[in-house]
Amino acid sequence: MAFRKEPPYTHGSPASTAVVLVNLGTPDAPNAGALRRYLKQFLSDPRVVEIPRAVWWFILNGIILPFRSSKSAEKYASIWTEEGSPLRVHTQAQATALGAQLAARGHHQLQVVYAMRYGTPSLPQVLDQLKEQGCTRILVLPAYPQYSGTTTASIFDAVFDHYRQVRNIPELRLIRNYHDQDAYIQALRQSVLDHWDLHGRPDKLLMSFHGVPKRTLMLGDPYHCECYKTARLLAQSLGLAEDQYQVTFQSRFGKAEWLQPYTAPTAQELGRQGVRRIDVMCPGFTSDCLETLEEIAMEVKEDFLHAGGKEFHFIPCLNESPAWIKGMVELAEQHLAGWPTMSNAAAREELAHQQLIAAERARALGADR
């Protein structure tokens, strides 16, 4: 195997640490060409679609990409902002806020960046940039609170595949899940209470999580259980009785059975039953995106109202809310423990002195830099 060329190394350079916030990804533009590139990368991931490759290649390239790209582009265009894709805008804002808050707490030997599993900036591209900067410790923070082989594990695959071709690998830590982390639950609770303070309470709260094929649950994926634990902890924190909320699953694709109950049919049935108002939130999404802003806030809203419902509210995702940034800080600090990321002025001065000594020793031994 041919390894990638290592960047130039200067003796005495300080060791550095990075937190990489990784989200799913987004097309670069709301047009058919960009959607085709994005969907091809996304749907070619064997973690996402567990169908024999030869069969799936024909379905993907012969049916899905030619016909779905334009339809998906129309959906993205309905939520696109002047700044770009909402998912990218919120993910970037989260990374910036997380970095600022960690620095304010004394983590001066640390940077926070973001990457996308699919699309740009790609995870390999960001890892290469950190390599060029001499980063020697990396904490990978997936934007998925609940673990799934289709999401979190795919990020891990991308990290490990990238470093298979790297000679000098940094120290790595990867966060598996945080579905029951108290700060995450409290951030969700605060987002609900803030909405209810402004708009009053619903007859029913739906907690809609992204769906996955039921087959993955039968094969041992813990995602279903972690979604229900998140919902239970959030309901308890809000003081909700069992009949005041319901867990549902959205974004079903294809003809196979997925985790149930499905969000849209559930909303329709509630409308037919005479439930006047429902609020829908998406705890599994930390940033608003197509699946929340178009699928839930537009499509499911229309389904509920057409079925007889009178009032529909979508509760936005955590995005860069202060409560969630606080939660991310707690999560990052928990997993950064033991790494030298904190320093004061005196410590930084001593570090610079030691680096100078190390560089002089290296040159004495024949190093050219």
Side-chain angles (χ1 to χ4, degrees):
M1 177 184 292
F3 295 101
R4 298 183 183 186
K5 183 179 179 181
E6 290 290 318
Y9 177 74
T10 300
H11 286 82
S13 299
S16 62
T17 303
V19 176
V20 183
L21 174 64
V22 187
N23 213 329
L24 179 77
T26 178
D28 292 324
N31 59 53
L35 260 297
R36 186 182 181 94
R37 292 190 298 273
Y38 172 71
L39 289 175
K40 185 171 185 177
Q41 184 186 12
F42 174 42
L43 296 176
S44 295
D45 187 342
R47 288 282 191 180
V48 175
V49 181
E50 295 185 53
I51 294 177
R53 292 294 93 188
V55 175
W56 181 241
W57 186 94
F58 173 77
I59 296 173
L60 177 62
N61 292 279
I63 301 174
I64 295 177
L65 294 180
F67 297 102
R68 190 176 178 185
S69 298
S70 295
K71 293 181 179 179
S72 294
E74 292 176 3
K75 292 178 180 291
Y76 272 99
S78 71
I79 66 161
W80 213 258
T81 71
E82 291 184 1
E83 293 80 16
S85 164
L87 182 139
R88 178 179 285 117
V89 170
H90 289 304
T91 304
Q92 184 175 20
Q94 288 172 343
T96 299
L98 176 59
Q101 288 299 311
L102 287 170
R105 292 173 63 86
H107 296 275
H108 299 293
Q109 297 171 238
L110 172 71
Q111 63 172 313
V112 179
V113 296
Y114 78 98
M116 300 298 179
R117 176 61 184 90
Y118 316 104
T120 58
S122 72
L123 184 53
Q125 175 188 359
V126 171
L127 295 177
D128 275 341
Q129 290 172 351
L130 293 174
K131 179 77 171 177
E132 291 285 341
Q133 296 167 15
C135 187
T136 55
R137 294 178 293 266
I138 294 176
L139 171 64
V140 178
L141 198 173
Y144 317 124
Q146 296 79 24
Y147 173 92
S148 172
T150 63
T151 53
T152 313
S154 180
I155 289 177
F156 292 1
D157 286 348
V159 172
F160 298 143
D161 286 346
H162 175 77
Y163 284 119
R164 285 184 62 197
Q165 301 176 1
V166 173
R167 186 179 303 278
N168 188 7
I169 298 175
E171 185 175 356
L172 295 169
R173 293 180 182 176
L174 302 95
I175 298 178
R176 183 179 187 275
N177 56 11
Y178 43 94
H179 64 289
D180 56 357
Q181 182 209 30
D182 184 64
Y184 162 65
I185 299 298
Q186 292 306 312
L188 291 173
R189 175 180 181 272
Q190 191 61 52
S191 71
V192 174
L193 292 179
D194 288 346
H195 188 86
W196 288 352
D197 284 344
L198 291 174
H199 305 286
R201 291 182 173 240
D203 300 305
K204 194 102 171 180
L205 174 65
L206 293 190
M207 302 181 191
S208 179
F209 294 85
H210 198 289
V212 295
K214 183 179 179 181
R215 177 176 177 271
T216 63
L217 170 62
M218 300 298 101
L219 292 175
D221 196 302
Y223 177 74
H224 177 267
C225 299
E226 293 190 3
C227 289
Y228 269 93
K229 186 172 185 181
T230 294
R232 174 173 57 81
L233 293 175
L234 176 56
Q236 289 176 352
S237 74
L238 291 167
L240 297 180
E242 290 187 5
D243 62 348
Q244 293 179 303
Y245 76 98
Q246 186 172 353
V247 174
T248 61
F249 296 91
Q250 64 182 89
S251 307
R252 179 165 50 116
F253 175 74
K255 296 182 179 181
E257 182 181 359
W258 283 39
L259 296 181
Q260 295 194 44
Y262 302 136
T263 300
T266 299
Q268 291 173 322
E269 181 59 27
L270 290 172
R272 286 191 290 266
Q273 291 175 359
V275 174
R276 185 181 185 282
R277 170 181 162 179
I278 63 171
D279 286 7
V280 184
M281 67 182 304
C282 301
F285 296 87
T286 53
S287 296
D288 274 314
C289 55
L290 182 74
E291 287 78 5
T292 66
L293 298 173
E294 195 276 336
E295 182 180 356
I296 298 298
M298 295 181 188
E299 292 185 5
V300 174
K301 176 182 179 179
E302 184 177 358
D303 290 338
F304 176 69
L305 296 178
H306 282 181
K310 303 302 181 185
E311 192 175 350
F312 180 99
H313 288 248
F314 168 65
I315 300 176
C317 292
L318 295 174
N319 297 323
E320 53 276 14
S321 65
W324 177 226
I325 300 304
K326 177 177 179 293
M328 295 178 73
V329 168
E330 291 188 17
L331 182 65
E333 287 189 326
Q334 174 188 344
H335 291 273
L336 288 167
W339 280 355
T341 61
M342 302 185 74
S343 65
N344 52 34
R348 290 194 291 274
E349 184 176 341
E350 175 61 21
L351 177 63
H353 177 65
Q354 293 300 325
Q355 291 163 0
L356 179 61
I357 294 175
E360 291 174 348
R361 287 173 177 168
R363 283 192 289 271
L365 293 172
D368 59 358
R369 59 167 66 90

